[in-house]
Amino acid sequence: DVKVTQSSRYLVKRTGEKVFLECVQDMDHENMFWYRQDPGLGLRLIYFSYDVKMKEKGDIPEGYSVSREKKERFSLILESASTNQTSMYLCASSLSSLALETQYFGPGTRLLVL
Amino acid sequence: AQTVTQSQPEMSVQEAETVTLSCTYDTSESDYYLFWYKQPPSRQMILVIRQEAYKQQNATENRFSVNFQKAAKSFSLKISDSQLGDAAMYFCATTSGNTPLVFGKGTRLSVIA
């Protein structure tokens, strides 16, 4: 079974802090994704990566950056956390860029920025 | 750009009954794919069912089936013999293959015992 893990289930940070959210997948997947999930807004794509050291902006990249130094790990960085970044963050991975490939999701990190 | 609309924020169904969740989409692509994902409370999101737009036959996975109306750009999910474990958020999504998945806003399904 594919396993996608995220470093924390719950995280509380203060405004202005630098925040790292880590995601690791164990199935040698090419693609990795970071989403933000908010009630009534569904899932919105922040960044994605089709290969190591490669990144592409999603629909809402402002205030975020990412890093993919190794194939299995995709990090989301909040350079200076703000209260409007309080949200559920979901990581996902898929085997290849083929459209029919299933995305496998992590359990999510619920981030509260005070 | 592709868009996905789920017009029912919340739905409920009696255990053992059938429920249909609605999804409409818009795309300018001729070849695309459609998905339903399920997110149970406090659990990971998983794929329920997928449909390739060029296939006319509706996809089926056990108690889950879709009604794919290509001309109407409609992709509804039917859950038969609903079980308590079906209670979840359900997200409809689409991709053309050249772009990442685009998700709808979700429908929260409650199952009443």
Side-chain angles (χ1 to χ4, degrees):
Chain A
D1 275 355
V2 175
K3 184 171 273 188
V4 179
T5 56
Q6 295 183 229
S7 49
S8 304
R9 291 298 301 271
Y10 301 94
L11 211 51
V12 180
K13 296 292 181 180
R14 297 216 173 266
T15 302
E17 279 193 79
K18 190 169 187 175
V19 182
F20 293 86
L21 303 183
E22 302 282 336
C23 175
V24 177
Q25 48 91 5
D26 67 354
M27 283 300 291
D28 202 35
H29 282 180
E30 299 287 336
N31 307 322
M32 296 189 75
F33 307 85
W34 274 107
Y35 295 93
R36 173 176 170 160
Q37 182 179 7
D38 299 287
L41 297 179
L43 273 70
R44 294 180 291 168
L45 182 64
I46 305 172
Y47 268 97
F48 60 102
S49 169
Y50 285 148
D51 202 352
V52 176
K53 296 191 186 292
M54 176 272 180
K55 59 186 178 184
E56 293 282 348
K57 291 180 180 179
D59 298 318
I60 53 164
E62 297 78 19
Y64 304 94
S65 62
V66 290
S67 172
R68 194 170 181 198
E69 295 296 319
K70 293 185 177 182
K71 192 174 186 180
E72 68 270 19
R73 188 180 298 269
F74 192 36
S75 302
L76 179 69
I77 303 156
L78 287 64
E79 295 289 343
S80 177
S82 63
T83 55
N84 62 14
Q85 292 179 310
T86 290
S87 187
M88 169 72 92
Y89 290 88
L90 297 178
C91 175
S93 70
S94 65
L95 180 60
S96 72
S97 59
L98 290 175
L100 208 55
E101 290 292 339
T102 301
Q103 282 197 17
Y104 294 88
F105 285 81
T109 295
R110 193 170 292 281
L111 173 67
L112 173 61
V113 182
L114 299 174
Chain B
Q2 298 168 300
T3 61
V4 176
T5 301
Q6 293 179 249
S7 58
Q8 305 151 317
E10 295 184 356
M11 294 276 289
S12 63
V13 62
Q14 293 279 351
E15 202 175 2
E17 297 294 309
T18 295
V19 64
T20 298
L21 308 184
S22 301
C23 172
T24 58
Y25 61 93
D26 193 19
T27 180
S28 57
E29 303 289 337
S30 57
D31 191 17
Y32 55 91
Y33 305 85
L34 297 156
F35 305 81
W36 278 98
Y37 279 84
K38 170 186 177 181
Q39 186 182 39
S42 301
R43 292 178 59 190
Q44 287 165 253
M45 190 162 337
I46 57 172
L47 178 69
V48 175
I49 199 166
R50 60 185 160 208
Q51 173 87 37
E52 296 152 61
Y54 65 86
K55 288 188 176 178
Q56 296 198 349
Q57 187 172 4
N58 288 325
T60 298
E61 289 285 344
N62 300 314
R63 296 182 296 107
F64 297 86
S65 61
V66 298
N67 183 6
F68 176 43
Q69 302 287 329
K70 192 171 184 177
K73 295 184 177 177
S74 171
F75 183 62
S76 59
L77 175 70
K78 185 172 85 170
I79 307 173
S80 303
D81 186 25
S82 297
Q83 301 174 359
L84 294 177
D86 295 332
M89 281 290 289
Y90 287 83
F91 292 95
C92 180
T94 186
T95 178
S96 65
N98 297 323
T99 56
L101 279 174
V102 174
F103 287 86
K105 295 182 178 180
T107 295
R108 184 176 300 280
L109 178 67
S110 301
V111 180
I112 303 164

